[in-house]
Amino acid sequence: MKTEMEIDTDKHVQKKAKVEETTANYSMEGGVHDMMPLYYSRIFPTSAVHAWLAYGNDKKHPQADGSFFQRREFCFTLEGDIFVRYQSFKDAAELHKALRDKVPEKIDLGPVYNVDPQRRAAYSGDRVFAPIQRELVFDIDMTDYDDVRTCCSKADICHLCWPLMTIAIKILDRGLREDFGFSHILWVYSGRRGVHCWVCDERARVMSDESRSAVAEYFSVYKGGQNKKVALTVPMHPTLEHAYQQVLLPAWVEEVLPAQKFLEDPSHIAAILSMVPDEGLRQLFQDRWGGAGKRSSAGGGGSVSVQRWLELKAKLENATGKGSINLRKAQFEIVFTYLYPRLDVEVSKHMNHLLKAPFCVHPKTGRVCVPISPVSPQDFDPQEVPSLAQLLNELDAYEKSNGKDKEGKKGEEYFKTSMGKYVDMFRNLFLDSLQNQAQEALSDKSQIAKANANVNNPMEW
């Protein structure tokens, strides 16, 4: 990727496809970029994104910071892999115009700086250009699970491995809310093979890099390596115990083992048994299970892998004598190794790290980065996420049936497409409560300012 950090985007000659207003049949076969102008001009929810990133500072409140949104860094990746950092915009209208004019293939969000990032060159010496706010973010990528997937690898995903992302959302969302007390958490599909999490409480946004690292490490149980993946203590930390009992173990038995068939695959049989700290027990099950085609000796229904797991789990749970604690602990370590969230902790540790914006289009898949409900993440299907071509065809079909001038202003016509339900989810599950809290915070600042004014100017009798 070419990087032009200091590019003057006002002079950049951006090739733009003509926005067609006539009937068309859009297809992903022609590539994503030529369809982007119409997406940005008529579907992208600019006002909702602006309302989020302004955090109440877009209102005419006496305590509102009118420069807040303009100090947020936007990074555009333009056609030809031209990487343009430190973009900033005064308001939603200016952002919308820039999207239509520059047609970025990808939008990344950076921090809020102490000054407008486009004026950073004026700051040198004692005048420091520095980030002052940034959402606490998490990035979970399916490729980090390649060693525990039998269905797909690399960028490929399917309904058999996507439950790994569902598990990650359930565990992190609960921990962030209940262990850390955060409330305003946005989950977003990456558009291809993973999920992103944005923690937007003010307390999270002003965290130092050291605090961000501490939160990321709190959730980092997976340690990597060829054999033993995690190191647990017994009894487990209450958060890990809850994750195991309420999320990991049910998913392991009911979804993952039947789908991935780990204990019917010789390589995974060997990997799982390698985590059993008893040579005799390892050999017992290796002899009993043999190759992939050998059936389980356990009775009852269910997949071969589930029945074999129940056999192994019973042996580990009922172990006695020397080494029994480590044997009982092995059952937990096996499940955590395969299922516990695998975070890219470097993304979370630094305030100035860029992350792809919600509602932008993934340049390779053409799918929109839509929000995921943390209330029911198991209902999310990445294969059903609308593609850019699908949205434009839906817009065209809607207007053929209802006319072009049906309700709604131009540039905010997502409601005519299947993306309308995702924008509604963004507002109902996330933005509305965030804006209410932001307004309450501004009102509190007003009360404090009035109280201070009264102290400084006492009434004279």
Side-chain angles (χ1 to χ4, degrees):
M1 176 178 288
K2 293 182 287 186
T3 302
E4 296 187 13
M5 302 288 288
E6 304 296 330
I7 188 170
D8 182 350
T9 57
D10 290 331
K11 297 180 180 180
H12 177 71
V13 180
Q14 170 65 34
K15 178 183 176 182
K16 297 187 295 180
K18 183 180 179 181
V19 178
E20 296 292 344
E21 300 288 350
T22 57
T23 300
N25 184 21
Y26 298 94
S27 170
M28 294 305 298
E29 294 180 2
V32 171
H33 187 75
D34 288 347
M35 293 182 282
M36 293 299 289
L38 191 54
Y39 176 71
Y40 285 132
S41 66
R42 299 191 60 189
I43 298 178
F44 186 83
T46 312
S47 62
V49 171
H50 171 258
W52 162 38
L53 297 175
Y55 290 103
N57 290 293
D58 55 338
K59 307 294 184 183
K60 293 182 179 179
H61 192 285
Q63 292 296 321
D65 180 352
S67 70
F68 185 88
F69 180 76
Q70 193 163 1
R71 290 184 280 118
R72 164 79 65 167
E73 178 189 359
F74 286 76
C75 174
F76 288 174
T77 302
L78 305 180
E79 188 179 23
D81 280 345
I82 297 174
F83 197 56
V84 187
R85 290 198 63 175
Y86 303 116
Q87 303 299 289
S88 63
F89 309 100
K90 181 178 66 176
D91 51 27
E94 195 170 283
L95 171 60
H96 187 219
K97 183 178 185 303
L99 294 174
R100 288 188 291 109
D101 291 348
K102 295 179 172 55
V103 196
E105 294 193 336
K106 185 161 75 85
I107 309 167
D108 288 293
L109 297 178
V112 176
Y113 286 91
N114 56 337
V115 294
D116 182 343
Q118 291 204 42
R119 298 179 57 230
R120 68 196 180 282
Y123 283 72
S124 60
D126 294 336
R127 305 176 72 192
V128 177
F129 171 67
I132 59 170
Q133 278 198 27
R134 172 70 156 108
E135 296 78 10
L136 174 63
V137 295
F138 297 90
D139 181 9
I140 309 171
D141 195 307
M142 190 71 84
T143 55
D144 291 328
Y145 293 80
D146 276 357
D147 62 318
V148 294
R149 291 197 290 166
T150 61
C151 54
C152 304
S153 63
K154 298 181 180 179
D156 294 332
I157 59 170
C158 71
H159 70 282
L160 297 179
C161 56
W162 189 256
L164 294 168
M165 296 293 103
T166 300
I167 290 166
I169 293 173
K170 287 181 177 180
I171 290 175
L172 264 70
D173 193 76
R174 180 228 167 247
L176 289 166
R177 294 179 193 276
E178 297 187 18
D179 296 353
F180 290 94
F182 296 126
S183 301
H184 305 293
I185 302 172
L186 175 65
W187 287 95
V188 182
Y189 173 49
S190 72
R192 193 177 193 184
R193 59 179 182 246
V195 295
H196 298 156
C197 176
W198 301 75
V199 185
C200 301
D201 300 63
E202 184 174 9
R203 181 164 54 90
R205 302 197 312 266
V206 298
M207 276 183 169
S208 65
D209 286 354
E210 291 77 15
S211 296
R212 293 166 192 269
S213 296
V215 176
E217 292 298 336
Y218 179 84
F219 290 107
S220 300
V221 174
Y222 172 73
K223 302 300 181 183
Q226 183 63 35
N227 295 317
K228 195 172 186 178
K229 301 295 184 182
V230 296
L232 300 174
T233 58
V234 177
M236 287 188 285
H237 186 283
T239 291
L240 299 182
E241 179 70 29
H242 184 278
Y244 180 77
Q245 296 293 347
Q246 301 300 318
V247 181
L248 298 178
L249 186 58
W252 178 249
V253 175
E254 297 167 14
E255 295 183 81
V256 178
L257 278 177
Q260 299 292 337
K261 299 179 170 57
F262 293 132
L263 292 176
E264 298 162 61
D265 179 284
S267 64
H268 283 284
I269 288 174
I272 288 172
L273 290 181
S274 72
M275 287 183 264
V276 176
D278 183 283
E279 184 177 354
L281 204 53
R282 289 197 300 271
Q283 192 60 53
L284 171 68
F285 282 102
Q286 186 65 55
D287 294 342
R288 181 181 297 180
W289 295 340
K294 198 166 182 178
R295 300 295 297 179
S296 171
S297 60
S303 74
V304 171
S305 286
V306 171
Q307 295 303 308
R308 288 179 171 178
W309 166 253
L310 295 177
E311 292 175 7
L312 176 60
K313 184 171 181 286
K315 280 285 189 183
L316 297 173
E317 281 183 334
N318 297 321
T320 59
K322 186 178 180 180
S324 59
I325 293 178
N326 287 333
L327 286 171
R328 288 196 294 272
K329 186 171 64 172
Q331 64 179 305
F332 307 133
E333 293 183 336
I334 291 168
V335 176
F336 271 83
T337 293
Y338 274 75
L339 300 189
Y340 198 78
R342 301 181 175 190
L343 306 178
D344 183 349
V345 294
E346 294 304 315
V347 172
S348 306
K349 286 182 176 181
H350 304 292
M351 187 181 287
N352 62 355
H353 199 289
L354 298 174
L355 190 64
K356 187 163 40 183
F359 298 112
C360 72
V361 176
H362 194 287
K364 293 212 167 32
T365 66
R367 295 191 184 275
V368 181
C369 301
V370 296
I372 301 173
S373 169
V375 179
S376 53
Q378 68 277 0
D379 295 336
F380 180 81
D381 183 351
Q383 305 299 330
E384 293 182 359
V385 172
S387 68
L388 183 54
Q390 176 186 334
L391 292 175
L392 297 187
N393 284 324
E394 289 171 354
L395 179 64
D396 183 67
Y398 181 97
E399 294 186 337
K400 285 171 64 178
S401 300
N402 299 279
K404 289 188 177 183
D405 296 326
K406 190 76 173 176
E407 59 181 318
K409 62 181 181 179
K410 201 166 187 177
E412 298 287 342
E413 298 173 272
Y414 47 79
F415 65 89
K416 298 178 180 179
T417 74
S418 57
M419 202 172 82
K421 68 178 182 180
Y422 294 106
V423 179
D424 288 343
M425 179 191 301
F426 177 79
R427 290 186 180 278
N428 296 335
L429 294 183
F430 170 71
L431 183 58
D432 288 348
S433 63
L434 179 68
Q435 287 190 301
N436 289 338
Q437 189 277 328
Q439 289 305 303
E440 290 175 3
L442 290 174
S443 296
D444 290 343
K445 288 180 180 179
S446 289
Q447 294 298 322
I448 293 171
K450 289 178 182 178
N452 290 336
N454 290 336
V455 170
N456 294 329
N457 299 285
M459 183 178 293
E460 296 184 3
W461 296 94

